[in-house]
Amino acid sequence: FLRDYYQEKKAASKSFSYVNFARKAKISSSGFLLHVIKGERNLTGPVLVNVAQAMGFDRPQTEYFGDLVAFDQAKSQAEKNFRYGKIMAQRRSAEVKQLEDSQYAFYSDWHHSVIRELAPLLAPGTAPAQLAKLVIPAIGAGEAGSSLKLQEQLGLLRRTPEGRLAQSEPFIGGSGAPARKLAITRFQRAMLEVAGQAWDNFEENAIAMQTATLSLSAEAALAAKAELKDFLKRLLALAQADKRPADRVYQLNLNFFPVSKTVGGQSK
């Protein structure tokens, strides 16, 4: 990767050299990057970040570059597989299909989203009662059956020739239009209640719950929201790149909200 970058820059400008490259990357040794390209030295920590900045990378590109380096330097197959998964997740941007107005009944109950993820994992002909027993918190067989019927009617689940249920789209979502926002808000509130029950339903090592209370400027708060959106995109891409058979359904809630008024202001 670095060799290709260097050759491209050299072809565009004859004055570009390892000395220029090293200077931009704040590296004192002009020959260091040549040694890296030859596989004789490794990039580590701050040097890696400086090289990425010298190449003009933004944050996602720097993260991708870091994963390439970590993949190359991995000592075990497990670490290599982990880094490869991250690289593939970043290379494949997951597309989220926006639901139509006629499909917003999907958000009427929290368990519809669980059923949509769970049903395709089961064998053809699995009874709704068996499906219901796998949902936590528990739902009734009638609710599971109604959910399957609804989602087939809405076109969110379909039957394969083998009789297995499959998702019509890998990822779905909703817009912020006023009429739609109410349905999504109700769904999100229901999922927060489900999250509150997770401590009682699972062992601590089966869940991940982290919280932080911190003071931020308005600008940093906007940046934090952008970070959360980027994280969700990366997680969707990671799920898309995962070629191993799924065996469980997980719920992720990302919550970022004020817990105070603006100091010196009147905002809510």
Side-chain angles (χ1 to χ4, degrees):
F1 180 82
L2 286 175
R3 183 184 296 111
D4 287 347
Y5 172 84
Y6 179 82
Q7 291 174 350
E8 181 179 323
K9 286 293 185 180
K10 189 69 175 177
S13 173
K14 292 184 179 180
S15 63
F16 186 79
S17 66
Y18 286 110
V19 174
N20 301 137
F21 196 1
R23 186 180 299 118
K24 287 183 67 177
K26 302 175 184 177
I27 298 172
S28 57
S29 172
S30 60
F32 176 79
L33 291 171
L34 177 60
H35 288 303
V36 172
I37 288 173
K38 289 182 176 181
E40 299 169 352
R41 299 287 298 273
N42 287 332
L43 289 178
T44 57
V47 177
L48 185 153
V49 175
N50 287 343
V51 170
Q53 290 177 344
M55 297 169 78
F57 290 167
D58 58 19
R59 186 190 58 77
Q61 290 170 329
T62 299
E63 182 180 347
Y64 182 79
F65 180 59
D67 284 327
L68 285 179
V69 173
F71 174 80
D72 179 64
Q73 299 178 13
K75 296 294 190 296
S76 67
Q77 190 60 45
E79 185 181 357
K80 222 170 184 62
N81 290 342
F82 171 75
R83 293 296 177 180
Y84 180 75
K86 290 193 67 178
I87 290 169
M88 294 307 296
Q90 292 180 71
R91 289 179 62 180
R92 300 176 181 176
S93 59
E95 294 186 7
V96 178
K97 175 70 167 60
Q98 298 298 313
L99 297 184
E100 303 292 337
D101 285 344
S102 59
Q103 296 174 309
Y104 265 66
F106 174 75
Y107 290 115
S108 61
D109 275 302
W110 66 268
H111 62 259
H112 293 326
S113 64
V114 180
I115 295 294
R116 179 179 173 275
E117 295 292 330
L118 189 57
L121 307 184
L122 306 180
T126 299
Q130 293 175 277
L131 177 58
K133 290 179 180 178
L134 294 172
V135 179
I136 303 173
I139 63 172
E143 290 176 300
S146 296
S147 181
L148 291 173
K149 183 178 179 180
L150 172 66
Q151 295 192 62
E152 286 193 77
Q153 291 174 343
L154 296 178
L156 302 179
L157 288 175
R158 58 179 177 80
R159 295 277 177 180
T160 67
E162 300 76 28
R164 183 183 295 275
L165 282 165
Q167 296 175 348
S168 301
E169 300 287 344
F171 305 110
I172 59 175
S175 72
R180 298 177 174 185
K181 189 174 181 180
L182 178 60
I184 295 174
T185 300
R186 287 174 176 170
F187 170 78
Q188 290 174 333
R189 285 178 173 171
M191 274 304 185
L192 287 176
E193 292 180 9
V194 173
Q197 299 175 46
W199 291 110
D200 298 322
N201 292 326
F202 301 99
E203 296 293 331
E204 187 172 352
N205 60 3
I207 60 178
M209 299 283 190
Q210 298 182 10
T211 59
T213 305
L214 62 165
S215 54
L216 297 171
S217 65
E219 292 77 9
L222 288 175
K225 292 177 183 178
E227 287 284 343
L228 292 176
K229 288 183 179 180
D230 286 344
F231 169 70
L232 182 56
K233 288 179 182 178
R234 293 198 300 273
L235 190 61
L236 293 180
L238 185 65
Q240 186 179 48
D242 187 8
K243 298 306 179 185
R244 291 158 293 193
D247 59 2
R248 199 170 200 176
V249 179
Y250 294 84
Q251 173 66 23
L252 172 70
N253 297 324
L254 294 175
N255 306 302
F256 181 76
F257 54 91
V259 286
S260 80
K261 294 182 179 180
T262 303
V263 176
Q266 300 298 320
S267 64
K268 297 180 179 179

